[in-house]
């Protein structure tokens, strides 16, 4: 009664007032959005671009663009499995449907050959397409917005120096209302920090270069920072996230959960080769990042990335030992020796390990030829086996590893067609009990079946 | 009886059948592969090998099936019924992928002179075509199988392009062996092998498990299963455990169908437009001979009476000795270098060409058995194992045998398998052409042992089998003494072809698998053009 009286005593004037305020506010927001949109369509100014366009056919400027395109790993999304580089078509699954990366070769009809300099820069900085339509943030413009105008145009200069490829990306399959592009205006209002990168004057040049590479070009946070319900990056920067079933690990300087235990040299070596000896070896999408992006950077730029990553806030997330701290040598081969294996029947984990894994990873699981770079790594004290998500281990077992850097190739065969779901689950649980965190040894055949649906990587792996 | 049909019916799923099926399926033909044996799973073969007490028996991990038996030797199952002076004793595997499940993966090309034995040396036979006609197919075969080989050494077989992969680094033993012998008038070369020196075709780099035979545990080494699976991905159908027991000739001698039995004995008839027999040099002629009917009383494709005859292999002799220095055989794959300076020369008019090869199999198991059998124990046992494992060298040889009609395969009239299909009966002998060469090989072994500071030299002069089954559906220009023509087509049946080492008119002195693969590519090319 008291509550009703309180409402009643004020009459309906406050309600009306609130309603009017809301309408006014809505109109104001819409006005702001419309104004922003009107302004963004005219961005960047011809004056700003004018000083740069003259250099866009300069080989040095194009070379700079090539380097930036590698640093931004544009190829990763804009190339389909086995396809021509940058010709698009790769499907990027989101919770709302699949978005297909477009062709960014300079073909007039199917690529970006008809785009003006302004339209190109606008896409990177504002997330607007050539016809002014809103792009989806699967394209990491919330990172690329930090790019300098010069770098943005260098990227265009390089892309326009490529041979045009005629190839149209399949249409997106987003569900209503997510297929309504104008809604992205609200999303941008909330999540697009429309600012170019500004160096911090108190920091060293290397740190600032690292920040630029990580935050703008490398868009590391697009995988390594968890996303909120609206698929924007959350506040737990670089704390690790799951993307397309792969676990992108915590890359904050937390001692156990992150890379706090890695030396600068180890971080740099990892970016150059995919291997941080004793800590981690890249697989899945990160293997592609190493192959197509970080291995192609200069030593100085890799050092800059390491320096910057060291400085971001550590997020511990409760890990009490590093992911490469689990497990120990196996001895099951001794117990199995001389026994008569069942001709068919249950496939126990130890038998599957000895038959499928031990010939490369050693009968103890301790590796063969590692830590030499072409060698086969230890399974215990192995960052992929000891990670808190088992999906990376399962995806590597199913689909193997194939990455290269320079003329080195790192390879593990795929077992997806050699072992069934029950066998993969039994083997994974054995590996987790013996070489990883035994608490994770709860993999079911259903888990395996689900992970088999993971979309393929550019290398043709899943 | 159920009926099925395909454009191309391939009997056998080894290297030859797999490549033909794959090429034709890629070209859009409907292809059906009938494989007598079962699917194998590599890890189960590995498991049987690791747990088997008979490690030296390469057949032990491969279970002979009652419905499609293959030879077993520990203990012997008597599948090959030996009737000759010399035991042929071939090992082969009836399973999807065939006998390349266990091999040393040597991928030699024949020499140009191997194609012209009759013209050049007045012995044996000539091929209907020259080396040059096969060169481009050798190249394709090397790409298909994934061959690592030396590009800076002339192996005597001209090549139009480099090997797909660079050679696998030689073991210390192989380096020393080559160094010593090459300084003394021999020619020791790295062996080209279908084994990955880098990731290739979805298979990993060799990591030196040193048990290529009986099983490469990681598939760094090619096996025929690769192309059986590729053929299926390209649209071919494969029926495993389908034992073809009859080839049925129809109108005008054309083959109308083949008949197979499943493991329970239920029979099916498969019709087709083109039939390719790729069931190896023993099972293929046996099948032709047991398919005799009223119109073809000598058997299918056998108007020449040559089916099953001219059986060849590479009779081998060996030597083992203790080298004068520690060389530690066993690092890397089981075979890496060969002595090739006896592969060709005017001597071939008098005695057989040959290739010698150094074994890189770890000697630990064998020397330990020997020492234990002498009753040695205690510290001396360990010392002896160490010394002998490090210094035991073993060299073997392939001698070129000539195609002799009296060396032959016949269906046994005595024994039959669970499906009622006759066992193969073998009549085999090694003639003076080989014996004269083997005597020279013996002297050469003594010379090599001497150069390597060898002691305790033990010769094994008995002719050992090397499982290179050739000649039994021999190719030639004259239908009077040949089973197939230069296109590998049977003279008697317009639509019946053979993809196998059984068509080879000469054996040369090298492993025949790469030639099988090259001939399969050439046949696939011919069949594509016919279609």
């Amino acid at each position: 009664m008291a509550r009703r009286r309180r409402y009643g005593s004020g009459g309906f004037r406050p309600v009306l007032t609130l309603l009017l305020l809301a309408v006014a506010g809505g109109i104001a927001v819409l006005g702001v959005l419309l104004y922003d949109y009107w302004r963004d369509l005219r961005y960047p100014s011809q004056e700003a671009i004018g000083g740069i366009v003259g250099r866009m056919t300069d080989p040095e400027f194009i070379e700079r663009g090539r380097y930036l395109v590698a640093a931004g790993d544009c190829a990763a999304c804009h190339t389909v499995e086995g396809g021509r580089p940058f010709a698009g078509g790769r499907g990027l699954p989101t919770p709302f449907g699949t978005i297909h990366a477009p062709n960014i070769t300079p073909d007039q009809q199917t690529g970006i050959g008809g785009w003006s300099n302004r339209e190109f820069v606008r896409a990177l900085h504002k997330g607007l397409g050539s016809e002014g339509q809103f792009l989806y943030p699967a394209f990491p413009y919330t990172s690329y917005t930090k790019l300098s105008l010069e770098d943005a145009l260098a990227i265009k200069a390089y892309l326009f120096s490529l041979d045009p490829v005629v190839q149209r990306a399949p249409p997106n399959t987003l569900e209503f209302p997510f297929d309504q592009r104008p809604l992205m205006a609200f999303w941008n209002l909330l999540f697009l920090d429309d600012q170019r990168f500004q160096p911090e004057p108190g920091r060293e040049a290397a740190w600032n270069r690292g920040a630029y590479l990580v935050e703008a070009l490398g868009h590391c946070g697009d995988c390594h920072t968890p996303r909120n319900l609206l698929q924007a990056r959350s506040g737990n920067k670089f704390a690790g996230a799951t993307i397309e079933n792969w676990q992108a690990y915590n890359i904050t300087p937390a001692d156990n959960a992150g890379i706090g235990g890695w030396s600068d040299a180890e971080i740099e070596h990892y970016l150059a080769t995919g291997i941080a000896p004793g800590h981690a070896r890249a697989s899945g999408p990160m293997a592609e990042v190493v192959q197509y992006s970080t291995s192609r950077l200069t030593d100085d730029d890799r050092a800059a990335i390491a320096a910057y990553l060291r400085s971001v806030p550590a997020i511990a997330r409760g890990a009490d030992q590093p992911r490469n701290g689990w497990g120990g040598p196996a001895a099951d081969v001794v117990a199995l020796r001389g026994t008569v294996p069942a001709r068919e029947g249950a496939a126990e984990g130890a038998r599957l390990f000895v038959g499928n894994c031990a010939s490369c990873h050693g009968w103890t699981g301790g590796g063969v030829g590692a830590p030499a770079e072409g060698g086969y790594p230890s399974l215990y004290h192995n960052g992929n086996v000891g990670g808190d998500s088992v999906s990376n281990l399962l995806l590597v077992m199913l689909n193997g590893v194939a990455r290269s850097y320079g003329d080195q190739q790192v390879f593990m065969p795929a077992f997806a067609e050699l072992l069934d779901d029950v066998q993969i689950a039994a083997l994974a649980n054995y590996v987790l009990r013996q070489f990883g965190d035994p608490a994770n040894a709860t993999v079911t055949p259903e888990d395996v079946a689900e992970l088999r649906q993971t979309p393929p990587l550019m290398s043709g792996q899943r | 009886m159920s009926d099925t049909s395909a454009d191309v019916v391939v009997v056998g799923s080894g290297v030859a059948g797999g490549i033909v099926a794959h090429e034709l399926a890629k070209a859009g033909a409907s292809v059906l592969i009938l494989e007598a044996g079962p699917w194998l799973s590599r890890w189960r073969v590995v498991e049987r090998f690791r747990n088997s007490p008979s490690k030296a028996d390469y057949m032990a991990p491969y279970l002979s099936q009652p419905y499609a038996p293959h030879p077993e030797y520990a203990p012997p199952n008597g599948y090959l019924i030996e009737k000759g002076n010399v035991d042929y004793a071939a090992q082969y595997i009836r399973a999807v992928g065939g006998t390349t499940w266990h091999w040393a993966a040597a991928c030699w090309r024949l020499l140009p002179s191997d194609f012209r034995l009759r013209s050049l040396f007045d012995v044996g036979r000539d091929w209907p075509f020259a080396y040059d006609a096969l060169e481009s197919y050798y190249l394709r075969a090397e790409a298909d199988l994934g061959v690592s080989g030396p590009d800076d050494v002339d192996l005597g077989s001209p090549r139009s392009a480099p090997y797909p992969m660079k050679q696998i680094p030689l073991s210390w033993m192989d380096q020393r062996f080559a160094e010593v012998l090459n300084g003394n008038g021999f020619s020791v070369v790295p062996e080209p092998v279908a084994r990955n020196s880098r990731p290739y075709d979805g298979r990993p780099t060799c990591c030196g498990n040193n048990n290529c035979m009986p099983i490469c545990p990681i598939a760094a080494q090619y096996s025929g299963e690769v192309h059986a699976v590729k053929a299926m991905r390209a649209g071919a159908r494969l029926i495993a455990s389908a034992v073809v027991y009859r080839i049925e000739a129809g109108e005008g001698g054309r083959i109308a169908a083949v008949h197979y039995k499943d493991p329970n004995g239920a029979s099916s008839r498969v019709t087709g437009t083109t039939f390719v027999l790729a069931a190896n040099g023993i099972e293929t002629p046996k099948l032709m001979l047991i398919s005799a009917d009223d119109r073809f009383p000598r058997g299918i494709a056998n108007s020449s009476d040559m089916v099953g005859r001219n059986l060849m292999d590479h009779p081998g002799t060996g030597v083992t000795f203790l080298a004068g220095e520690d060389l530690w055989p066993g690092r890397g794959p089981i075979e890496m270098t060969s002595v090739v300076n006896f592969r060709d020369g005017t001597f071939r008019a008098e005695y057989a060409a040959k290739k010698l090869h150094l074994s890189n199999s770890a000697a630990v198991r064998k020397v330990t058995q020997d020492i234990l059998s002498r009753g040695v124990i205690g510290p001396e046992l360990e010392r002896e194992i160490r010394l002998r494992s490090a210094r035991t060298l073993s060299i073997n040889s392939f001698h070129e045998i000539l195609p002799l009609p009296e060396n032959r395969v016949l269906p046994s009239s005595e024994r039959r398998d669970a499906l009622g299909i006759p066992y193969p009966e073998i009549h085999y002998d090694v003639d003076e052409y080989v014996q004269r060469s083997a005597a020279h090989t013996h002297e050469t072994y003594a010379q090599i042992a001497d150069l390597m500071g060898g002691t305790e030299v033990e010769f094994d002069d008995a002719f050992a089998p090397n499982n290179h089954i050739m000649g039994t559906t021999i190719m030639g220009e004259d239908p009077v003494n040949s089973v197939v023509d230069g296109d590998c087509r049977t003279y008697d049946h317009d639509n019946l072809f053979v993809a196998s080492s059984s068509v080879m008119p000469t054996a040369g002195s090298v492993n025949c698998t790469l030639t099988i693969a090259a001939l399969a590519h050439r046949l696939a090319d011919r069949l594509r053009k016919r279609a």
Side-chain angles (χ1 to χ4, degrees), chain A residues 174-185:
Chain A
L174 293 173
E175 296 156 18
F176 184 82
F178 305 105
D179 58 346
Q180 300 300 306
R181 288 179 182 271
L183 290 177
M184 290 313 300

Side-chain angles (χ1 to χ4, degrees), chain A residues 18 21 28 35 44 84 99 107 171 190 192 194 212 220 270-271 303 309 318-320 336 346 377 380 406 416 441:
Chain A
L18 278 172
L21 278 172
Y35 171 75
R84 297 275 299 275
I99 296 170
D107 181 58
L190 292 169
L192 174 61
D194 181 6
Y212 183 62
C220 308
Y270 181 87
L271 294 172
L309 286 178
D320 51 11
L336 291 169
Y380 52 87

Side-chain angles (χ1 to χ4, degrees), chain A residues 336-339 341-343 351-352 355-356 359-360 376 409 411 417 419 423, chain B residues 43-44 46-47 50-51 63 65 198-199 202-205 207 209 217-218 233:
Chain A
L336 291 169
R337 184 179 292 151
T339 60
R343 197 160 167 161
R351 282 179 59 199
L352 288 161
N356 288 290
S359 297
C360 284
Y376 296 134
Q409 286 176 286
F411 181 86
E417 292 182 13
L419 299 175
Q423 291 172 321
Chain B
W43 78 268
R44 287 184 190 274
V46 172
E47 180 178 57
R50 297 242 187 267
N51 289 13
L63 303 174
Q65 306 294 337
R198 61 173 167 84
R203 295 179 288 115
T205 308
C207 64
N209 276 272
I218 69 169
R233 288 203 185 121

Side-chain angles (χ1 to χ4, degrees), chain A residues 185-434:
Chain A
F186 294 98
W187 193 92
N188 287 344
L189 189 65
L190 292 169
F191 302 119
L192 174 61
D193 180 16
D194 181 6
Q195 298 286 326
R196 308 299 83 76
F197 177 78
Q198 295 299 327
E200 279 191 32
R203 298 278 196 172
E204 288 179 6
W207 183 94
N208 275 310
R209 174 67 177 167
Y212 183 62
L213 287 167
V214 167
E215 300 288 355
L217 272 167
H219 62 286
C220 308
D222 279 74
C223 290
H224 286 280
T225 299
R227 290 175 186 271
N228 62 25
L229 280 177
L230 290 172
Q231 294 301 296
R233 294 192 299 266
S234 72
N236 291 320
K237 187 191 259 194
F238 301 146
T242 300
I243 182 158
E244 297 183 17
N245 290 336
W246 288 92
Q247 172 81 12
Y249 294 112
N250 181 331
I251 54 168
T252 73
D255 275 343
N256 291 323
I259 56 172
W262 302 23
S263 70
D264 285 355
E266 286 168 340
I267 297 173
E268 291 160 32
H269 195 69
Y270 181 87
L271 294 172
T273 67
I275 301 170
H279 293 293
R281 295 167 74 101
S283 57
M286 191 62 201
E288 287 191 348
V289 171
V290 171
Q291 177 165 344
Y292 296 102
S293 179
T294 58
S295 70
R296 300 179 181 192
L297 300 181
T298 62
D299 290 345
D300 284 351
D301 275 351
R302 282 190 289 264
I305 290 172
Y308 176 70
L309 286 178
R310 279 248 176 273
S311 74
V312 305
I315 299 172
R317 284 265 180 104
D320 51 11
Q321 62 174 318
R323 56 191 170 92
N324 65 331
W326 293 96
D332 297 274
V333 73
V334 180
L336 291 169
R337 184 179 292 151
T339 60
V340 178
R343 197 160 167 161
E344 297 301 329
E348 310 83 4
R351 282 179 59 199
L352 288 161
F353 167 74
V354 173
N356 288 290
C357 317
S359 297
C360 284
H361 291 289
W363 63 275
T364 63
V368 169
E373 294 184 350
Y376 296 134
S378 175
L379 295 178
Y380 52 87
H381 301 175
N382 179 310
N384 281 340
V385 179
D388 57 2
S389 152
V390 298
S391 64
N392 286 14
L393 170 65
L394 288 168
L395 286 167
V396 166
M397 288 167 60
L398 284 169
N399 307 307
V401 177
R403 66 184 155 81
S404 61
Y405 53 94
D407 54 7
Q408 278 282 350
Q409 286 176 286
V410 177
F411 181 86
M412 167 176 153
F415 286 83
E417 292 182 13
L418 303 177
L419 299 175
D420 62 24
D421 294 348
V422 174
Q423 291 172 321
I424 294 273
L427 179 53
N429 287 329
Y430 172 82
V431 167
L432 289 163
R433 273 195 303 273
Q434 184 63 46

